[in-house]
Amino acid sequence: MATLQEAVIKKFFETLRDDEAFDQSKTAKLEALLQADGKVKADDLTAIFALPEGGEVL
Amino acid sequence: MIKIASAHIEEFRGIRKLDINLAQKSFAVSGPNGSGKSGVIDAIEFALTGQIGRLTGTGTKGLSLADHGPHVDHVKFPDAAFVELEVFFPTLGKSAKLTRKVSAPKKPKIEPNDPDIIAILDEVAQHPEITLARREILKFILVEPTKRSAQIQEILKIDELGQTRSALNTASGKLSRAAIAAGKDTQGKKSTLLQHLGIASLSAAEMLAAVNARRELLGLAVHDVITAETIIDQGLAEPTDEQSLNKPAALIELDKLTKMITGFGQVKSPDAEALIVQIEQLENDSLLLVSLQQRELVERGLKLVDGPACPMCDHEWPDEAHLLSHLHEKQQKSKAAGELKQKLTNHAALLSTDVGNLKALLLETHRIAKVENATDMLASVVAWGKDLASLQERLKSFSTVLELKDRLTFGWPAVPEDFETKLIAFVDVIRAKPDQSATLAAQSFLINAEQRFKDYKAAREIEKGTQKAHDAGKIAYDAWCAAMESELDALYEAVEDDFSNFYRVLNDGDEQKFVARFKATEGRLDFDVNFYERGLFPPGAFHSEGHQDGMGVCLYLALMKRLLGDSFSVALLDDVVMSVDADHRYQFCKLLMTEFPNTQFVIATHDKVWAEQMRSAKLVTRKTSMAFDSWSVDTGPLVESNPEIWAEIDAALAKGKVEVAAPILRRHMEFVARLLADQLGAKTVFRADNSYDLGGLLPSAMSGLSELLGKAAASAQSWDNEDQKIKALERKQRLKLANTHKGEEDWTVNKAVHFNEWANFSPNDFKPIVQAFKDLLACAQCDDCGSWLYITPKSISPEGLRCSCNLVNLNLKQKPK
């Protein structure tokens, strides 16, 4: 049921964007990851959360 | 939206060749167990989706479409096994022929090759859940909340949401462990710095006192303040290698190593102890170990899944969702083993930190030994350091941790035999060195202090980073759970409203205040239902099996309505509502017809009474139902061709064939007697072996009907309802006459019908018998809709006698006096 899936993802990112404690550079990375085909892997998520504040320069 | 007009099935499952005219309407297939009716459901499901539900999921290991889809005599020729459907598309106003072969389940032939038609059929193929079998029906109702959640999410195609939640949770756990390890490392570095400075806390006052004392001695400007940016040895020239040994600092480091080594013999490591216990647990429980090994394999497999083919064995699954569901089920089974593995991994990680601390001290010793050119000590430190590095490496992997039992039992540090002796000797050598000059000592003190201060700051930065990563992971996980919970709550709210409504329709006159509540929380779905306004309970707590059966179907329908909406145009129900009684089955028909008027139901049942009720309730007609009489491996199902029983008997008698007419009449009477005894709540002698016969059931049913009509007349009298009274009395009188007529024919009935002595009768002898039965049975039928009468509710105190069109609707309850 795509609409439900989309609704959850939309709400998820809304919550993250409203959260000042959450680094927004990570939000963009998460969006790209969740939009990609295939299953989301824990290691990919770990790598995103471990990125420095504001993301990497290179 | 689609409507199936006809089906042609060949060499598929138990069917050799069969044509069914569904006429775009709901259709019933009945027949005894093993007569091949489920093969029809399988065939239509296969044609529409390319899969057969009964060959996938739990308990189907070793079964496959390729091997078990064709008829058993055509296993080697899957090309011969195919299903062809004529399908109508109401929204397009077009028709198409869909042909799917077992040899190419994913490549159906669709004629005409119309993109709109192909798009609709592709959409239908994505929904194997259009089939509901009896074996699945209670899985929504009686399962554990965690499994219910998974199964319902799977049917709603939202299991991906659960997978993402699980990945976020795993990531959050990993980051939490990393943060703990980083915190421990920071503490270690802080302790080293404090010890070097010889102070109890890192307050500015204490640090300034310790540092400035040496700076003053060296004539360097004192620090006024000390912050994280302060360079402790600022202004000091780089020392030479010769000068770099600070005797007191070196002795402190060597003392720390000595104490740590002594401590190994006195205090056992709690993490090492825990690891030994867990390894033994796995050694003593071979099944647990096997389960764990399988879990590892499954986990590796899960990471590699990319499509319907198993990444490990190349087995082809109907689709990726089926494969994932199979793997998740296996993963769930090994949950206890997984938890043990998690504990073991955590202890190994903590022990690895201890190993790291020991390595850090050895590194200091290495530096000192190198400065002193103490080659023997140096060699020992290097050898032990390599051994510890190897241990640390092995602590990283679960499989290698299992090999460490002996090492852990005899002491994980495995201090080399002569290491302590060498260390004592080395400490003596350092201690024996002449005291450094105060200047040299101060220089060395500041250089080392700066290095330790840097180490500590770097560790703090790393810790801060890991903590931030952990916080981010936690925020994201919580946000996902909250979003999922909120959306699923809204979904379940809609489903629970539909479900409650459907269940109330099913239980017309009973449980009218029935409500259900779903509560979704992390990975589980609790489900409670109201029991006669006494509160909310799990469905299995007080409701009967029949009610649970009804709930299963209602929940399925509610989910399908939510999932497919207007696209819920075909549903294949295989032997469902079997525990639901006759009265409720009529309501079930009403539910399907009123709530799903645009859905074409194909219903298979082994119960002839239920098949008759579907016709009686007008869910299907004689033209849109089919009965299988028997089955053989050579012929497949044998279709019972009996649409108009009386016409068939008359035709046989017209040809003078009493031997044909008599068995037809007998079979029909046996069937109707059983149906009426059930629907009218006939009083008969209970038989545990269920061996009721016509001679016992028919009189009980008819005398029960007479009694009910008497009650209806008395009730009508009490309510002053003259019309109802006349109707009841007229029917009662008809019944009396028919019974008398049948009684007059009993001598022939017994011989011809009960004892198969028809050979002695001519058609003219037999015709009065047929007429007697026909008249008698007509008394239990509605003159208009032809349905068989039934009592409601089905209990020892029924309140009404009805037919399915309600033309007969006699009240049995008298007006209270």
Side-chain angles (χ1 to χ4, degrees):
Chain A
M1 191 161 178
T3 50
L4 185 80
Q5 190 106 352
E6 283 162 11
V8 170
I9 291 174
K10 187 169 172 243
K11 190 162 276 185
F12 171 64
F13 284 114
E14 272 170 15
T15 312
L16 292 186
R17 282 195 197 91
D18 290 347
D19 194 328
E20 285 176 8
F22 195 81
D23 174 18
Q24 293 311 314
S25 68
K26 293 182 176 63
T27 310
K29 294 263 181 194
L30 281 173
E31 269 180 318
L33 183 68
L34 290 185
Q35 273 164 14
D37 284 341
K39 255 183 352 210
V40 174
K41 306 234 173 15
D43 288 343
D44 296 337
L45 291 165
T46 310
I48 291 175
F49 297 133
L51 284 171
E53 202 92 338
E56 285 174 323
V57 178
L58 295 172
Chain B
M1 173 172 267
I2 62 163
K3 296 282 177 195
I4 305 168
S6 67
H8 172 80
I9 308 163
E10 256 190 70
E11 303 297 354
F12 185 85
R13 304 286 288 157
I15 298 169
R16 301 309 301 255
K17 191 185 267 191
L18 183 68
D19 283 292
I20 307 173
N21 179 19
L22 293 99
Q24 300 179 30
K25 295 191 172 118
S26 286
F27 195 89
V29 187
S30 62
N33 289 332
S35 62
K37 58 192 182 305
S38 294
V40 173
I41 299 287
D42 292 345
I44 297 176
E45 181 190 12
F46 170 71
L48 292 175
T49 68
Q51 34 184 295
I52 304 177
R54 73 177 70 241
L55 298 183
T56 57
T58 312
T60 58
K61 192 177 177 187
L63 299 182
S64 72
L65 176 67
D67 293 338
H68 307 101
H71 184 273
V72 67
D73 290 344
H74 279 76
V75 171
K76 298 262 192 305
F77 312 100
D79 218 33
F82 70 92
V83 184
E84 196 172 272
L85 297 184
E86 288 283 349
V87 183
F88 179 66
F89 301 83
T91 47
L92 305 176
K94 295 176 182 173
S95 292
K97 190 195 278 181
L98 165 70
T99 309
R100 204 183 286 264
K101 289 184 175 184
V102 171
S103 57
K106 289 182 179 170
K107 292 177 184 161
K109 187 177 167 193
I110 299 166
E111 297 169 295
N113 189 15
D114 180 321
D116 294 336
I117 286 174
I118 291 170
I120 293 178
L121 288 175
D122 278 350
E123 173 69 20
V124 173
Q126 296 305 309
H127 293 284
E129 61 279 4
I130 56 169
T131 307
L132 178 70
R134 173 155 177 73
R135 66 185 179 280
E136 296 166 330
I137 202 156
L138 292 178
K139 78 179 182 184
F140 307 122
I141 303 296
L142 296 180
V143 292
E144 295 157 32
T146 46
K147 286 185 183 166
R148 180 185 298 120
S149 173
Q151 276 159 350
I152 289 186
Q153 287 183 17
E154 193 180 316
I155 202 171
L156 288 170
K157 304 262 177 205
I158 51 175
D159 44 334
E160 225 174 85
L161 292 176
Q163 283 164 10
T164 304
R165 185 192 64 82
S166 175
L168 279 162
N169 193 23
T170 306
S172 184
K174 276 187 178 182
L175 293 168
S176 166
R177 286 191 292 279
I180 291 170
K184 235 176 156 181
D185 186 50
T186 307
Q187 284 311 310
K189 297 278 193 308
K190 182 180 180 182
S191 162
T192 304
L193 176 63
L194 286 170
Q195 212 168 351
H196 178 77
L197 294 174
I199 54 181
S201 80
L202 291 182
S203 69
E206 281 188 82
M207 277 191 79
L208 282 171
V211 170
N212 284 339
R214 273 73 177 188
R215 291 186 69 85
E216 276 177 357
L217 188 74
L218 294 170
L220 297 171
V222 294
H223 288 304
D224 295 330
V225 288
I226 201 154
T227 65
E229 282 72 43
T230 303
I231 298 169
I232 290 175
D233 60 353
Q234 194 171 26
L236 195 66
E238 280 294 307
T240 63
D241 280 351
E242 285 295 318
Q243 293 168 322
S244 64
L245 180 71
N246 179 321
K247 183 181 165 188
L251 284 173
I252 287 172
E253 295 300 333
L254 294 173
D255 183 51
K256 273 161 72 179
L257 180 61
T258 310
K259 278 181 181 160
M260 188 178 268
I261 292 171
T262 313
F264 292 144
Q266 292 165 349
V267 186
K268 290 191 170 177
S269 156
D271 293 312
E273 291 294 299
L275 281 172
I276 293 168
V277 171
Q278 284 150 2
I279 293 169
E280 281 175 350
Q281 202 178 334
L282 284 165
E283 284 176 349
N284 296 334
D285 188 345
S286 55
L287 285 177
L288 192 65
L289 188 59
V290 170
S291 170
L292 203 45
Q293 283 160 346
Q294 284 176 344
R295 186 180 175 86
E296 284 201 314
L297 187 70
V298 169
E299 281 173 350
R300 272 204 292 273
L302 268 170
K303 284 182 187 167
L304 297 171
V305 168
D306 186 20
C310 172
M312 300 299 196
C313 68
D314 284 340
H315 174 76
E316 191 77 18
W317 288 77
D319 55 37
E320 187 177 328
H322 271 79
L323 172 58
L324 288 171
S325 157
H326 175 72
L327 292 174
H328 284 304
E329 205 170 293
K330 274 185 172 290
Q331 203 180 22
Q332 185 66 25
K333 274 185 194 160
S334 57
K335 199 178 166 194
E339 283 167 2
L340 179 65
K341 182 186 170 186
Q342 189 57 55
K343 281 186 196 165
L344 198 134
T345 311
N346 287 346
H347 284 298
L350 292 170
L351 186 61
S352 177
T353 311
D354 292 342
V355 178
N357 291 338
L358 176 56
K359 268 173 64 191
L361 283 177
L362 281 178
L363 205 63
E364 279 301 319
T365 309
H366 181 270
R367 189 182 64 78
I368 299 164
K370 205 172 171 188
V371 170
E372 287 301 305
N373 206 17
T375 48
D376 196 24
M377 188 70 221
L378 208 54
S380 292
V381 168
V382 169
W384 193 17
K386 279 184 181 170
D387 174 55
L388 290 173
S390 151
L391 173 63
Q392 224 173 1
E393 202 53 39
R394 283 191 283 170
L395 284 168
K396 281 182 188 169
S397 153
F398 170 72
S399 56
T400 46
V401 169
L402 296 184
E403 296 162 3
L404 289 174
K405 186 183 163 193
D406 288 346
R407 172 88 186 239
L408 297 172
T409 307
F410 297 110
W412 66 264
V415 185
E417 207 175 325
D418 55 351
F419 191 88
E420 261 187 287
T421 318
K422 284 182 182 171
L423 181 62
I424 291 166
F426 185 58
V427 170
D428 286 345
V429 168
I430 300 295
R431 196 168 282 131
K433 283 176 82 72
D435 281 344
Q436 292 164 299
S437 70
T439 310
L440 201 59
Q443 278 179 353
S444 180
F445 178 91
L446 289 178
I447 290 166
N448 283 304
E450 174 60 19
Q451 185 56 49
R452 281 161 177 71
F453 192 42
K454 275 183 184 163
D455 289 348
Y456 173 54
K457 285 188 288 187
R460 269 170 58 101
E461 280 307 307
I462 291 170
E463 185 191 357
K464 212 185 283 175
T466 56
Q467 189 56 50
K468 274 190 176 169
H470 172 234
D471 291 346
K474 180 84 174 50
I475 289 171
Y477 174 68
D478 289 345
W480 186 266
C481 288
M484 209 171 139
E485 198 172 318
S486 131
E487 289 302 317
L488 284 179
D489 274 350
L491 168 77
Y492 291 139
E493 207 172 297
V495 169
E496 77 186 17
D497 284 350
D498 285 335
F499 166 70
S500 303
N501 176 36
F502 296 166
Y503 190 73
R504 284 194 294 269
V505 173
L506 186 64
N507 292 276
D508 179 39
D510 192 18
E511 297 213 58
Q512 281 314 291
K513 293 188 177 170
F514 176 87
V515 286
R517 288 280 172 273
F518 286 102
K519 181 66 193 156
T521 41
E522 274 179 48
R524 57 183 280 146
L525 178 63
D526 290 296
F527 174 42
D528 289 317
V529 293
N530 185 295
F531 184 73
Y532 292 93
E533 297 165 63
R534 300 298 197 277
L536 289 165
F537 303 94
F542 295 114
H543 280 91
S544 68
E545 193 186 332
H547 281 102
Q548 290 166 25
D549 227 3
M551 282 182 207
V553 181
C554 289
L555 183 52
Y556 167 77
L557 292 171
L559 288 167
M560 293 306 284
K561 182 180 169 185
R562 184 56 37 186
L563 172 65
L564 298 175
D566 291 341
S567 301
F568 184 34
S569 53
V570 173
L572 311 172
L573 308 181
D574 190 3
D575 243 356
V576 298
V577 298
M578 292 323 302
S579 303
V580 174
D581 60 35
D583 194 10
H584 289 92
R585 285 183 196 168
Y586 275 116
Q587 287 303 122
F588 180 59
C589 293
K590 185 177 163 190
L591 171 69
L592 298 187
M593 289 190 290
T594 54
E595 298 289 337
F596 300 93
N598 298 320
T599 305
Q600 182 182 23
F601 291 97
V602 180
I603 303 172
T605 177
H606 68 268
D607 187 344
K608 281 195 161 195
V609 175
W610 171 218
E612 181 62 29
Q613 286 167 331
M614 281 189 262
R615 283 196 288 269
S616 188
K618 296 208 157 111
L619 177 65
V620 297
T621 63
R622 287 209 177 274
K623 282 185 180 170
T624 57
S625 52
M626 173 180 265
F628 291 158
D629 191 50
S630 56
W631 176 90
S632 77
V633 72
D634 292 322
T635 63
L638 295 171
V639 180
E640 189 181 286
S641 56
N642 196 12
E644 285 302 333
I645 187 78
W646 304 116
E648 203 173 314
I649 292 170
D650 288 347
L653 291 178
K655 290 179 190 165
K657 292 193 170 177
V658 178
E659 73 276 18
V660 174
I664 296 174
L665 177 64
R666 181 185 173 80
R667 223 165 49 209
H668 184 61
M669 291 308 298
E670 280 172 345
F671 163 63
V672 178
R674 196 177 176 83
L675 177 108
L676 288 177
D678 179 63
Q679 296 202 171
L680 298 173
K683 292 169 191 157
T684 188
V685 178
F686 172 73
R687 290 178 186 275
D689 60 358
N690 207 20
S691 62
Y692 297 100
D693 59 20
L694 176 60
L697 288 180
L698 190 62
S700 305
M702 290 306 166
S703 113
L705 178 60
S706 177
E707 200 180 310
L708 290 165
L709 292 168
K711 274 189 181 174
S715 160
Q717 169 84 28
S718 72
W719 294 97
D720 284 332
N721 188 338
E722 195 58 25
D723 179 49
Q724 290 295 300
K725 184 180 163 188
I726 290 168
K727 281 183 179 167
L729 288 176
E730 273 180 3
R731 190 176 280 271
K732 193 166 186 246
Q733 183 59 22
R734 256 172 70 196
L735 177 62
K736 191 179 169 189
L737 286 172
N739 245 332
T740 309
H741 186 198
K742 190 222 151 217
E744 288 163 0
E745 298 294 341
D746 263 353
W747 69 276
T748 43
V749 169
N750 285 337
K751 281 174 180 280
V753 179
H754 295 317
F755 305 120
N756 292 335
E757 291 181 18
W758 40 263
N760 302 323
F761 290 86
S762 70
N764 284 338
D765 292 330
F766 202 70
K767 278 179 186 167
I769 303 172
V770 175
Q771 192 57 48
F773 275 121
K774 194 174 174 182
D775 293 344
L776 184 65
L777 294 189
C779 298
Q781 271 180 301
C782 169
D783 298 330
D784 191 44
C785 70
S787 68
W788 302 105
L789 304 187
Y790 66 93
I791 55 168
T792 176
K794 198 173 173 189
S795 67
I796 52 167
S797 305
E799 293 174 7
L801 179 66
R802 292 183 192 168
C803 71
S804 58
C805 74
N806 267 350
L807 184 73
V808 179
N809 188 2
L810 298 170
N811 181 12
L812 300 175
K813 281 191 89 174
Q814 291 204 21
K815 187 177 182 180
K817 288 177 183 169

